Amino acid sequence: MVSGGRTPWRRARFVAVDLETTGLDPRRDEVLAFAAVPIDGGRIGVGGTVTGLVRPEAPPPPASIEIHGLRAADLAKAPPAPEALVPLVAALDGRVPVAHTASVERRFLRPRLRALGFAFPRRVVDTAVLWRALCIARGDGDPGWCALSAVAAGLELPAHRPHVAEGDALTTAQAFLALATHLEGSRRVTVRALTRADWNVRAHRLWHPPASSG
């Protein structure tokens, strides 16, 4: 069972998730690879990492191959979606997902996992949002959206194999632990606080709107 919203984050069960896709439109683009790294008690369980490839209905376009290097030949023996995502369902079950720019994972996975009878968790932690919340809490202002590699650099963490699902999931997991640890330095941090960090960002932007370029 997923930890309740008032559970201190260090007592909760999370899982860092990353997808490699052919694009950003879930209506026409496809999932090609996934990785999930469990986080229990504030520790990363690298040994429990789940990864998989997904055979797309159409060959990956050249633009996506340039990003993640997955060719049609690399995916030919992989099962198609949604069957290929069965291991990911098991990895998500009972855990709070963590992702960088989590809206991408949510939009791609929600319909595909529904086909397997699994409802994608409602509460999700977004490390892109947590980074913005931490910058605001430090008095540095809202930096806006930042890429995972930039967030890792800002936290003085390595970026593991960018644009490879397993590498990005591990980087996301490490960034999450660092961000949650920094945020708890000033207050009690619960699962609810982490999954609703966007509220703090929106409130800050309401009271501190960006300066007009004109």
Side-chain angles (χ1 to χ4, degrees), residues 46-63:
V46 177
T49 298
V50 172
T51 64
L53 298 176
V54 184
R55 187 174 76 242
E57 294 182 1

Side-chain angles (χ1 to χ4, degrees), residues 3 15 23 36 40 42 45 48 58 61 72 87 97 99 122 145 149-151 153 155 160 168 178 195 199 212:
S3 303
V15 59
D40 292 295
R122 179 173 52 85
W145 181 86
S149 58
V151 172
L155 294 168
H160 303 278
D168 282 343
T195 58
W199 289 21
S212 173

Side-chain angles (χ1 to χ4, degrees), residues 3-213:
S3 303
R6 296 183 180 180
T7 303
W9 79 271
R10 289 185 182 274
R11 291 171 49 194
R13 303 176 71 218
F14 298 91
V15 59
V17 178
D18 185 77
L19 303 178
E20 297 301 325
T21 66
T22 58
L24 296 177
D25 187 345
R27 295 168 298 180
R28 68 183 184 191
D29 292 314
E30 301 185 71
V31 176
L32 300 178
F34 63 86
V37 178
I39 303 167
D40 292 295
R43 296 179 180 274
I44 297 172
V46 177
T49 298
V50 172
T51 64
L53 298 176
V54 184
R55 187 174 76 242
E57 294 182 1
S64 73
I65 295 175
E66 289 181 7
I67 294 173
H68 46 60
L70 292 172
R71 306 162 301 168
D74 302 319
L75 306 165
K77 295 183 179 180
E83 292 86 351
L85 299 173
V86 169
L88 183 57
V89 169
L92 285 166
D93 192 27
R95 295 179 179 273
V96 180
V98 179
H100 195 79
T101 313
S103 59
V104 174
E105 275 71 20
R106 181 188 289 112
R107 288 186 289 115
F108 272 91
L109 290 178
R110 181 174 287 165
R112 290 164 175 82
L113 298 189
R114 189 184 300 125
L116 293 169
F118 182 82
F120 189 74
R122 179 173 52 85
R123 292 195 302 267
V124 180
V125 177
D126 190 333
T127 49
V129 173
L130 288 188
W131 172 247
R132 296 172 69 177
L134 177 61
C135 290
I136 291 169
R138 286 175 167 176
D140 299 330
D142 181 9
W145 181 86
C146 294
L148 178 59
S149 58
V151 172
L155 294 168
E156 299 184 350
L157 296 172
H160 303 278
R161 293 189 293 165
H163 304 301
V164 174
E166 186 174 357
D168 282 343
L170 179 57
T171 301
T172 298
Q174 292 181 329
F176 165 71
L177 291 183
L179 289 163
T181 299
H182 284 305
L183 287 168
E184 75 177 346
S186 59
R187 63 184 184 277
R188 178 174 179 266
V189 176
T190 63
V191 172
R192 180 188 180 110
L194 294 176
T195 58
R196 294 192 176 186
D198 59 316
W199 289 21
N200 295 334
V201 174
R202 287 200 297 264
H204 177 84
R205 290 178 63 83
L206 179 63
W207 293 103
H208 302 85
S212 173
S213 59

